[in-house]
């Protein structure tokens, strides 16, 4: 049974082998054959995802669970 990938844009089950490859200086992508949108696969070497910072006054997870 082939592995299926659910496209985050169109929510179609897609065979990853059917997706075209694309890349930029920042990341590597696969293109969904159903909706033709780029899906992020990996960041290029040396790049990292920025840490999200909570909005001023936002409650933390610990505060919500207490």
């Amino acid at each position: 049974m082939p592995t299926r990938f659910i496209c985050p844009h169109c929510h179609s089950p897609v065979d990853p082998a059917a997706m075209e490859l694309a890349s930029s200086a920042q990341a590597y992508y696969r293109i969904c054959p159903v909706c033709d949108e780029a899906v992020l696969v990996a960041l290029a070497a040396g790049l990292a995802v920025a840490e999200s910072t909570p909005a001023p006054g936002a409650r933390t997870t610990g505060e919500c669970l207490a």
Side-chain angles (χ1 to χ4, degrees):
M1 180 172 185
T3 302
R4 293 289 177 180
F5 170 82
I6 302 299
C7 175
H9 301 289
C10 67
H11 307 287
S12 296
V14 180
D15 180 4
M19 299 174 83
E20 292 184 34
L21 299 175
S23 65
S24 69
Q26 294 83 24
Y28 301 98
Y29 305 90
R30 288 194 180 249
I31 306 300
C32 175
V34 177
C35 67
D36 205 32
E37 291 287 334
V39 178
L40 178 68
V41 173
L43 294 175
L47 294 179
V49 175
E51 291 292 324
S52 63
T53 55
R59 292 173 39 183
T60 64
T61 303
E63 293 171 335
C64 291
L65 296 175

